[in-house]
Amino acid sequence: MAALELLSDEGYRVDGRRAAELRKVRARMGVFAQADGSAYIEQGNTKALAVVYGPHEMRGSRSKALHDRALVNCQYSMATFSTSERKRRPHGDRKSSEMTLHLKQTFEAAILTQLYPRSQIDIYVQILQADGGNYCACVNAATLAVIDAGIPMRDYVCASSAGFVEDTPLADLSYVEEAAGGPQVALALLPASEHIALLEMNARLHEDRLEEVIEAASRACKAVHAVLDRVVRDHVQEATAL
Amino acid sequence: GSITTADGSALVKLGNTTVICGVRAELAAPPVDSPNKGYIVPNVELPSLCSTRFRPGPPGEEAQAASQFIADVIENSQIIEKEDLCIANGKLAWVLYCDIICLDYDGNILDASTFALLAALKNVQLPAVTVNEETGLSEVNLKQKNPLIIRKHPVATSFAIFDDTLLIVDPTAEEEDLATGTVTVVTDEEGRLCSVHKPGGSPLTGAKLQDCITRAVTRHKEVKKLIDKVIKSIQPK
């Protein structure tokens, strides 16, 4: 293995965190005037921006409109300067399309689309700096943006990644830990009901271990939920105080 | 300097219009016809998240026109001497990729992009590179970083014209939609003109144009002071 030890003997990770510790999360809502809802989130060094337009009338082909639900349209893109090597194609490549699809599926599960038939909700996510946990930062930012837009959802959607090194599950992986190649799980959870909106796992993991890793990811999601909830309450308090 | 993965970055907010610029430096062989020069490649992106008027897909004409405008400003104002970007004559030079992304579109994208570009370039730290004579390979010294030498500081000022009667400076999106024409004037610190951009629209008298130019010069001074203040405040890093 590489000389980089993901978990030292004392239990510290590469960036000095403990195994179950999350990176510092900072978030702001209502950052843009043009959009119906917007949010900015920083999870450690990963910075993501989400913008929501909607619900509005279907653009483009009317035939794609669903007669009983709203259509959720997502787009995920990464800024060309977001990764340590300049990324040539910000959208349209396979990884981005896959992320876009995952985001769309996750939010279709959470947003109460039955309230807005024949309309469209656009969720655009932009990553300004990528340092691991891109999908998770996007989901968290998009949740805040949807709340900022006033679109009703079943519950917050909180996401976190988790990995596994030497019998210990790690929560909230950074880029270095993701690149090391161990098993990784990305989990999007609706915290109150503990329903899983999306679960994705890479690499091989013994099935006995799966339980532990999912447990670690759920705990991380709940911690994120606490932070996001506070951000929303503070924002609403500020907005209504004026 | 908010984006650590980029070599230099800046975020500019002009009212509601928000633009972020990230500069990445890479090594490449210089062009054959000018072996002692590097290159700067600007790119302006107006993604669909900044406004409902932009559809997802390949860059529209407004984005391409803005990219070309920025390229012209860089060329005409000589903000950086391309010779400074050269490391080894004919073999190795720096290429600066400047990516300007608009995050919130509320008019006057050209002014905001020029400020963001200037601020980001001032923020760039290039590592020292030496070329090993025997092997011909380059050795990058990441520990030792030098800032870029910015020669001139161009600042753009845009105006919206309404039928030759009214002239307003720094238009918002609503004003731009209703305007019958726009003018953008780029000046540098010695009060010299770098570029005047008037893409069609209703005609403007010479006197009015002169008026715009004088206002642009005043604005330049204010903006330069602001940029200097910000750069100084992040200096001790």
Side-chain angles (χ1 to χ4, degrees), chain A residues 93-121:
Chain A
D93 64 323
R94 289 210 309 249
K95 196 91 214 291
S96 297
S97 305
E98 189 194 3
M99 290 274 207
T100 305
L101 194 61
H102 286 161
L103 279 172
K104 181 177 144 88
Q105 290 166 340
T106 312
F107 280 94
E108 269 180 359
I111 296 181
L112 294 171
T113 47
Q114 292 85 349
L115 294 176
Y116 304 107
R118 298 180 177 286
S119 57
Q120 184 180 340
I121 298 177

Side-chain angles (χ1 to χ4, degrees), chain B residues 103-116:
Chain B
L103 298 174
D104 199 2
Y105 185 88
D106 192 29
N108 208 357
I109 193 78
L110 298 174
D111 282 9
S113 310
T114 356
F115 300 159

Side-chain angles (χ1 to χ4, degrees), chain A residues 34 47 80-81 86 129, chain B residues 2 4-5 24 49 99 104:
Chain A
Q34 280 285 320
K47 299 183 167 107
T80 38
F81 44 76
R86 186 173 186 260
Q129 200 176 318
Chain B
S2 35
T4 48
T5 46
R24 293 216 51 120
L49 63 79
D99 295 299
D104 199 2

Side-chain angles (χ1 to χ4, degrees), chain A residues 28 31-35 45 47 49 51 53 56 59-60 73 75 77 79-86 88 90-91 124-126 128-130, chain B residues 2-6 13 16 18 20-24 26 43 45 47-52 54-57 97 99 101 103-106 173:
Chain A
R28 275 205 346 242
V31 282
F32 294 141
Q34 280 285 320
N45 284 331
K47 299 183 167 107
L49 200 56
V51 167
Y53 286 104
H56 55 70
R59 298 250 175 76
N73 174 35
Q75 202 198 38
S77 77
T80 38
F81 44 76
S82 59
T83 49
S84 35
E85 286 169 11
R86 186 173 186 260
R88 278 321 179 113
H91 31 242
Y124 297 121
V125 189
Q126 172 91 289
L128 296 175
Q129 200 176 318
Chain B
S2 35
I3 311 265
T4 48
T5 46
K13 270 193 161 201
N16 284 332
T18 310
I20 189 165
C21 175
V23 179
R24 293 216 51 120
E26 284 183 12
N43 181 34
E45 238 183 79
S48 25
L49 63 79
C50 64
S51 158
T52 47
F54 300 118
R55 292 300 167 80
Y97 289 106
D99 295 299
I101 303 184
L103 298 174
D104 199 2
Y105 185 88
D106 192 29

Side-chain angles (χ1 to χ4, degrees), chain A residues 12-214:
Chain A
Y12 289 111
R13 288 152 79 172
V14 180
D15 48 4
R17 288 184 283 157
R18 291 238 159 240
E21 209 180 309
L22 293 178
R23 291 178 290 185
K24 192 165 163 85
V25 176
R26 272 188 292 215
R28 275 205 346 242
M29 290 169 64
V31 282
F32 294 141
Q34 280 285 320
D36 295 323
S38 55
Y40 169 73
I41 196 169
E42 273 182 33
Q43 273 185 238
N45 284 331
T46 300
K47 299 183 167 107
L49 200 56
V51 167
V52 170
Y53 286 104
H56 55 70
E57 219 183 278
M58 284 295 297
R59 298 250 175 76
S61 56
R62 292 278 148 79
S63 57
K64 276 206 222 138
L66 301 166
H67 66 279
D68 59 344
R69 299 202 302 265
L71 187 70
V72 175
N73 174 35
C74 287
Q75 202 198 38
Y76 166 90
S77 77
M78 296 180 74
T80 38
F81 44 76
S82 59
T83 49
S84 35
E85 286 169 11
R86 186 173 186 260
K87 197 178 196 307
R88 278 321 179 113
R89 293 179 61 193
H91 31 242
D93 64 323
R94 289 210 309 249
K95 196 91 214 291
S96 297
S97 305
E98 189 194 3
M99 290 274 207
T100 305
L101 194 61
H102 286 161
L103 279 172
K104 181 177 144 88
Q105 290 166 340
T106 312
F107 280 94
E108 269 180 359
I111 296 181
L112 294 171
T113 47
Q114 292 85 349
L115 294 176
Y116 304 107
R118 298 180 177 286
S119 57
Q120 184 180 340
I121 298 177
D122 294 321
I123 303 181
Y124 297 121
V125 189
Q126 172 91 289
I127 297 243
L128 296 175
Q129 200 176 318
D131 185 33
N134 297 342
Y135 169 76
C136 305
C138 287
V139 169
N140 295 331
T143 300
L144 286 180
V146 171
I147 293 178
D148 191 39
I151 299 177
M153 286 206 289
R154 286 196 177 83
D155 193 359
Y156 285 77
V157 184
C158 301
S160 177
S161 55
F164 204 76
V165 161
E166 291 172 18
D167 296 349
T168 329
L170 302 176
D172 198 9
L173 304 173
S174 67
Y175 182 71
V176 178
E177 290 161 347
E178 278 181 4
Q184 330 168 4
V185 162
L187 178 74
L189 190 73
L190 275 66
S193 50
E194 298 207 21
H195 282 171
I196 297 180
L198 182 134
L199 176 67
E200 194 195 345
M201 197 194 95
N202 294 330
R204 288 191 335 223
L205 183 66
H206 198 287
E207 66 175 292
D208 293 342
R209 303 297 195 184
L210 186 62
E211 191 69 48
E212 277 175 54
V213 179
I214 294 190

